[in-house]
Amino acid sequence: MAEYVKDYQIFPLMHQSGHITFTEWCSLFTLCLAPLVAHIAAGFPQPSYLSARHPKWHERIALYNPTSILWRYAVIADRRIRAKAWDRKDMAGTNALFWTSQGWDGSEEMITLSMPHCVHLPPYSRINFYSVEFLKTAIVTLQGIQAIVAIGLALGNGSHRHDGFLTFMGVDLIFFPLAYTGLVRLFCAFWLTDEFAYSISQNGSNGSELRAIATKVDERRISLDGLLHEDLSAPVVKEDRFLPTSYWASRVFRVVFLLPTLLLLVMCLTFIIPFDGSVRFTITALLGALFYFLFLSATLIICGYYLARGHTSTTLPCLASRWYGAYTGILTGMALAIIVVSCIETRRMTCGRWTSAPYSLGDFDAC
């Protein structure tokens, strides 16, 4: 390693943003937060509360970890692959984020157990091309394509390299690579929806009560127009609706799903250990590289482990664990640190782009 990397340099933290105007700051923060907000907001629907006690902030924050969002995409697509008969109930129950007295529950069993509380179902068993969900998918997919192409151009040596991602990124690009989750979303794009609603009963229900309700065929449902044409004759048994995770198509998908994350991790490592033997970082770029290396590595390990073991819950099995909470806290802390440091180091280059590179490096090398 020491012989391979001939030049390793970390530029000291320098305040370079003093000449940025208020309107430019507004534009920079819009570009900075757009990928973060768009992909996290599109990644999870509003929770469906089936318990009188609502989750506290520390019980919700792990949901918005990008690893949790990618896991949800994987399980929704995997369920659709294994479904023997996919209908509106499956689509609603799979997309819903259930909160019960036992915590978050995204198991296949909840598709049946939650039906007494369903007040609205999606109009179709796949998304409508004129729906808001389709528009979300189209937007984040274009952002994902842009991110991968820009990073790929930055790694190349061709004439279009100047159009690629800046190694010495400014505040506008720190969360830009997160847009790749838009491409991962394509795996389950046709079965993502938020056109459903669940309502808690008047006296509340805990996990055991939900299971008791599901066994009563004649239990009156608090259903509205979304259930008028549904067959309510008997509860659906999970094993009858989904093939086992040993199904060959499911196994193939679980391997293929991890490939985009692996590709981006390889790109990240290429920036950290470039082939020309020279490694130079601003503090912004160094924190960014560490952030994405941690996130991508953890995602591959966590999702790969649970996919290999055949877990089928749309919420990560480790979501409520202390170590996953610590991992989420570290990512959040690093994201805040990158924002603060990049706001200090960002400056405009002569070519009009923003960078954290020091003036001494020159704009040609920074671009």
Side-chain angles (χ1 to χ4, degrees), residues 146-156 158-167 173 176 271 353 366-367:
Q146 180 190 17
I148 294 298
V149 171
I151 294 173
L153 289 174
L155 292 173
S159 59
H160 297 287
R161 184 175 182 179
H162 64 279
D163 295 324
F165 181 74
L166 290 180
T167 303
L173 292 179
F176 181 67
F271 277 112
R353 302 181 72 180
C367 284

Side-chain angles (χ1 to χ4, degrees), residues 40-41 44-47 60-69 97 328:
I40 290 180
F44 274 107
Q46 284 297 316
R60 297 191 60 167
I61 190 171
L63 290 174
Y64 304 106
N65 187 320
T67 301
S68 303
I69 295 173
L97 187 61
T328 301

Side-chain angles (χ1 to χ4, degrees), residues 84-308:
K84 292 182 178 180
W86 181 266
D87 59 23
R88 297 190 296 156
K89 293 193 294 290
D90 294 308
M91 189 164 176
T94 297
N95 279 273
L97 187 61
F98 293 112
W99 171 260
T100 71
S101 61
Q102 308 300 317
W104 299 109
D105 193 336
S107 63
E108 293 175 358
E109 189 179 16
M110 284 300 294
I111 296 175
T112 299
L113 300 181
S114 62
M115 281 308 296
H117 298 273
C118 187
V119 297
H120 178 68
L121 285 176
Y124 307 102
S125 58
R126 58 170 176 76
I127 65 167
N128 189 329
F129 287 101
Y130 300 100
S131 65
V132 174
E133 204 65 38
F134 179 78
L135 182 61
K136 288 181 187 177
T137 299
I139 292 173
V140 297
T141 299
L142 289 175
Q143 290 181 346
I145 294 173
Q146 180 190 17
I148 294 298
V149 171
I151 294 173
L153 289 174
L155 292 173
N157 293 314
S159 59
H160 297 287
R161 184 175 182 179
H162 64 279
D163 295 324
F165 181 74
L166 290 180
T167 303
F168 302 112
M169 53 189 165
V171 68
D172 58 328
L173 292 179
I174 54 178
F175 297 122
F176 181 67
L178 278 180
Y180 98 100
T181 57
L183 296 179
V184 180
R185 182 184 171 96
L186 287 176
F187 285 113
C188 59
F190 290 104
W191 306 285
L192 283 173
T193 184
D194 57 5
E195 296 184 75
F196 56 83
Y198 292 85
S199 175
I200 189 173
S201 60
Q202 293 181 356
N203 59 352
S205 297
N206 56 32
S208 59
E209 288 172 340
L210 284 175
R211 285 160 176 77
I213 290 173
T215 61
K216 298 179 182 179
V217 177
D218 60 345
E219 180 72 30
R220 183 176 180 181
R221 300 171 184 268
I222 48 176
S223 306
L224 300 180
D225 59 325
L227 301 178
L228 290 178
H229 303 291
E230 293 300 312
D231 179 13
L232 307 179
S233 58
V236 180
V237 181
K238 178 182 66 173
E239 289 77 7
D240 291 338
R241 299 192 69 80
F242 296 98
L243 295 168
T245 55
S246 58
Y247 179 48
W248 69 268
S250 176
R251 288 184 172 181
V252 171
F253 165 75
R254 288 167 180 250
V255 173
V256 172
F257 177 82
L258 297 173
L259 293 182
T261 303
L262 178 61
L263 172 63
L264 195 62
L265 178 59
V266 171
M267 289 182 171
C268 178
L269 289 174
T270 304
F271 277 112
I272 296 174
I273 311 175
F275 293 104
D276 61 4
S278 176
V279 179
R280 292 183 296 178
F281 286 112
T282 59
I283 302 299
T284 298
L286 178 62
L287 289 176
L290 294 176
F291 173 84
Y292 288 108
F293 178 76
L294 173 63
F295 157 57
L296 295 169
S297 301
T299 298
L300 277 177
I301 294 172
I302 294 170
C303 292
Y305 174 78
Y306 287 118
L307 287 174

